[in-house]
């Protein structure tokens, strides 16, 4: 992890400053203004610009984009299977049955608002409003009864989940917004009417965000409920990871899902489980401190030396000083006080749930994606912490599918990394380009000055624990140290001609 070197003084920042670039204050101001103009959302969940540490962060806005590649989030359903991943005990046991969603009282409150809407005084077509009221009642009744197939269908009829923010509401969603009181309606002279624009997603209209939450949860449960062991609501860690294992081990004669379909399944579960805090009107989650804090220092040449603990750093410092090593520290030892999710309870206990989902941020979703995709046989290449002046931040997960394709997750969204040279395959440069493109989309900008990317390679972490999950924490720590690691090492160089000749003996022509 490091070489000897340390100091007698220890500081414990919370965490390291993130300012970079001469114009950082101007950029931070521009991004803060963008936050107030933009929203974050998706078809099933609000996108997060969470933090990778315990400092407060500013939520950056999201454009109306779809990060899924190449076919997008729509059209690829969660698969159901009874494959090799299903255990005999599970198949023999009585399947779990989902009850009503968590925070179902909120759906009842929304429905009461809808049913109390004064249809007679509205310039909107009265039958259109009455039909929507009936669908709201049916959706509420279905959720309370645990009938998620019907609930999903009714919510889709009402226009939920909504499309990404920035576009226009469809007719059904606009009618729902009117009934919810989310947008005022104005009668026009000579007949007709128009509704005011409405925002949803980050810091947007809470009623619409809540309806998106219930719709995302219903979509997920409707699909998971047919799994051999059934599913509760919310699903347990064992249920969703078993589902992902079953998905990629279909029964004989059943088609093997593509990597795109596996990514979509993990996306739907993540979106159905976690609502971004900014769309729930909450504060950014602060996770418990990670155990056994690590430490680092810099030597006189500016090289970073990382240690498993402050005690290890002090021991190395003593040895470096005694031998007058160039690795001796030039300043203080810094304890890395990371706060990143490293267990299931971290992402399921961030305050009271809302509208059918837990509350979380981008780190919650990276953790969820990591657990789901590795259960499905994907290999975690690592995690990427992104920071910018002013405290805004985001986190990506990077995964390699069994078919060799490389994928990046951003909250519940995902994108395949396309190689610039098909013969060479995906390189670190290709990954960097994808991360920068996605960051620009997340923050609605093409100016990436001031952004800092800190990647933590799962391959560099001890195998005694869970390197995939540990990479989330380590990317945070590397961000504090302003360091990064290579996630996709370059291929080994071709053997030199002399090595080829040596392998063949003298290199002289061989005769039969």
């Amino acid at each position: 992890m490091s070489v000897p070197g340390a100091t007698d003084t220890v500081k414990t920042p919370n965490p390291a400053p993130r300012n970079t670039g001469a114009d950082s204050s101007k950029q931070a101001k521009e991004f803060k203004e963008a936050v107030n103009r933009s929203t974050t959302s998706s078809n099933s969940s609000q996108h997060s610009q969470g933090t990778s540490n315990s400092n407060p962060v500013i939520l950056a806005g999201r454009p109306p984009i779809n990060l899924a590649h190449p076919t997008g989030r729509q059209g690829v359903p969660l698969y159901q299977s009874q494959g090799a991943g299903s255990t005999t005990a599970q198949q023999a046991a009585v399947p779990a049955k989902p009850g009503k969603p968590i925070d179902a009282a909120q759906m009842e409150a929304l429905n009461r608002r809808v049913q109390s809407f004064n249809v007679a005084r509205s310039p909107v077509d009265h039958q259109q409003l009455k039909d929507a009221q009936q669908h709201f009642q049916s959706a509420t009744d279905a959720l309370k009864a645990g009938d998620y197939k019907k609930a999903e269908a009714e919510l889709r009829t009402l226009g939920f989940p909504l499309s990404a923010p920035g576009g226009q509401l469809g007719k059904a969603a606009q009618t729902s917004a009117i009934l919810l009181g989310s947008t005022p309606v104005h009668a026009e002279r000579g007949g007709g009417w128009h509704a005011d624009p409405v925002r949803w997603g980050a810091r947007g209209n809470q009623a619409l965000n809540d309806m998106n939450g219930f719709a995302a949860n219903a979509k997920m449960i409707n699909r998971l409920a047919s799994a051999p062991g059934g599913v509760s609501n919310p699903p347990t860690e064992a249920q969703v990871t078993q589902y992902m294992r079953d998905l990629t081990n279909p029964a004989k004669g059943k088609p093997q899902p593509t990597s795109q379909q596996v990514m979509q399944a993990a996306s739907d579960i993540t979106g159905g489980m976690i609502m971004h805090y900014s769309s729930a009107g909450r504060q950014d989650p602060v996770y418990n401190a990670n155990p056994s804090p690590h430490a680092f220092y810099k030597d006189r040449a500016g090289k970073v030396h990382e240690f498993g603990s402050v005690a290890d750093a002090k021991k190395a410092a003593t040895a470096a000083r005694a031998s007058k090593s160039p690795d001796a520290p030039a300043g203080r030892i810094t304890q890395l006080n990371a706060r990143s999710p490293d267990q299931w309870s971290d992402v399921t206990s961030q305050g009271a749930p809302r509208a059918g989902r837990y509350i979380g941020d981008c780190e919650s979703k990276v953790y969820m994606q990591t657990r789901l995709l590795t259960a499905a046989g994907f290999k975690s290449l690592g995690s990427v912490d992104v920071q910018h002046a002013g405290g805004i931040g985001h986190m990506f997960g990077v995964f390699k599918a069994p078919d060799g394709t490389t994928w990046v997750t951003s909250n519940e969204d995902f994108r395949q990394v396309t190689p610039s040279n098909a013969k060479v395959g995906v390189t670190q440069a290709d990954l960097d380009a994808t991360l920068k493109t996605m960051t620009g989309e997340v923050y609605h900008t093409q100016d990436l000055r001031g952004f800092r990317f800190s990647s933590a390679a799962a391959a560099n972490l001890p195998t005694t624990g869970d390197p995939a999950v540990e990479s989330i924490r380590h990317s945070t720590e590397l961000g504090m140290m302003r360091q990064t690691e290579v996630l996709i090492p370059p291929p080994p160089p071709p053997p030199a001609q002399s090595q080829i000749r040596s392998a063949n003996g003298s290199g002289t022509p061989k005769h039969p």
Side-chain angles (χ1 to χ4, degrees), residues 62-80:
R62 296 231 32 177
I65 60 169
N66 192 322
L67 293 180
H69 174 84
T71 60
R73 292 171 51 78
Q74 299 290 339
V76 186
L78 280 167
Y79 269 54
Q80 316 305 319

Side-chain angles (χ1 to χ4, degrees), residues 186-237:
H186 307 280
E188 297 176 345
R189 290 182 180 180
W193 56 272
H194 70 274
D196 289 348
V198 60
R199 288 177 47 180
W200 62 93
R203 319 301 180 194
N205 184 271
Q206 192 60 61
L208 295 182
N209 289 347
D210 288 342
M211 291 301 298
N212 265 345
F214 285 117
N217 179 257
K219 175 184 177 183
M220 172 187 68
I221 296 298
N222 183 30
R223 286 148 178 77
L224 293 181
S226 63
V231 65
S232 58
N233 192 11
T236 66
E237 179 180 13

Side-chain angles (χ1 to χ4, degrees), residues 315-337:
K315 182 177 180 180
T318 301
R321 287 177 178 149
S323 63
K324 298 182 179 180
S325 168
D327 295 328
R332 297 176 176 178
I333 293 171
T334 300
Q335 181 170 290
L336 297 168
N337 295 320

Side-chain angles (χ1 to χ4, degrees), residues 440-469:
E441 291 168 343
V442 165
Y443 289 100
H444 231 215
T445 183
Q446 294 182 345
D447 184 1
L448 297 181
R449 290 175 299 172
F451 283 96
R452 189 173 66 254
F453 297 80
S454 297
S455 301
N460 294 344
L461 294 166
T463 57
T464 51
D466 186 339
V469 170

Side-chain angles (χ1 to χ4, degrees), residues 64-356:
I65 60 169
N66 192 322
L67 293 180
H69 174 84
T71 60
R73 292 171 51 78
Q74 299 290 339
V76 186
L78 280 167
Y79 269 54
Q80 316 305 319
S81 73
Q82 297 183 13
S86 300
T87 64
T88 303
Q90 281 184 313
Q91 292 175 354
V94 177
K97 292 184 178 181
K100 61 185 180 180
I102 47 179
D103 198 29
Q106 181 60 26
M107 183 65 193
E108 293 181 279
L110 293 169
N111 184 51
R112 286 194 297 272
R113 185 188 305 181
V114 167
Q115 302 305 327
S116 65
F117 183 86
N118 194 330
V119 173
R121 296 183 60 183
S122 176
V124 181
D125 181 80
H126 291 181
Q127 190 59 51
Q128 178 181 328
L129 293 172
K130 290 178 180 178
D131 289 345
Q133 284 179 322
Q134 290 181 354
H135 287 299
F136 263 99
Q137 186 64 58
S138 295
T140 303
D141 292 341
L143 287 174
K144 290 170 62 179
D147 185 349
Y148 289 94
K149 181 177 182 180
K150 183 176 182 181
E152 182 185 4
E154 293 289 354
L155 290 167
R156 285 195 181 279
T157 300
L158 292 167
F160 299 101
L162 300 174
S163 61
Q168 297 293 320
L169 286 175
K171 182 178 179 180
Q174 186 178 60
T175 302
S176 295
I178 291 169
L179 289 172
L180 288 164
S182 301
T183 176
V185 177
H186 307 280
E188 297 176 345
R189 290 182 180 180
W193 56 272
H194 70 274
D196 289 348
V198 60
R199 288 177 47 180
W200 62 93
R203 319 301 180 194
N205 184 271
Q206 192 60 61
L208 295 182
N209 289 347
D210 288 342
M211 291 301 298
N212 265 345
F214 285 117
N217 179 257
K219 175 184 177 183
M220 172 187 68
I221 296 298
N222 183 30
R223 286 148 178 77
L224 293 181
S226 63
V231 65
S232 58
N233 192 11
T236 66
E237 179 180 13
Q239 287 169 348
V240 293
T241 52
Q242 184 63 51
Y243 176 86
M244 295 301 291
R245 284 190 287 270
D246 289 346
L247 171 63
T248 50
N249 292 280
K252 187 176 181 180
K254 298 291 185 179
Q256 184 73 26
T258 66
S259 294
Q260 168 84 13
Q261 290 167 333
V262 176
M263 293 296 301
Q264 188 66 56
S267 168
D268 288 344
I269 294 173
T270 302
M273 290 277 283
I274 302 173
M275 185 180 193
H276 188 255
Y277 71 90
S278 67
S279 295
R282 305 282 179 81
Q283 296 297 311
D284 190 5
V286 177
Y287 305 100
N288 293 330
N290 296 122
S292 305
H294 302 155
F296 81 98
Y297 70 75
K298 290 184 178 181
D299 62 26
R300 290 184 176 83
K303 182 180 178 182
V304 171
H305 300 263
E306 187 179 357
F307 301 87
S309 67
V310 171
D312 289 343
K314 288 183 175 180
K315 182 177 180 180
T318 301
R321 287 177 178 149
S323 63
K324 298 182 179 180
S325 168
D327 295 328
R332 297 176 176 178
I333 293 171
T334 300
Q335 181 170 290
L336 297 168
N337 295 320
R339 292 179 177 270
S340 296
D342 55 13
Q343 55 187 344
W344 190 261
S345 60
D346 285 336
V347 302
T348 58
S349 60
Q350 297 302 317
R354 186 176 185 113

Side-chain angles (χ1 to χ4, degrees), residues 451-482:
F451 283 96
R452 189 173 66 254
F453 297 80
S454 297
S455 301
N460 294 344
L461 294 166
T463 57
T464 51
D466 186 339
V469 170
E470 181 64 22
S471 73
I472 301 172
R473 170 183 177 175
H474 199 223
S475 67
T476 299
E477 295 173 333
L478 289 171
M480 296 180 196
M481 294 184 283
R482 303 200 174 199

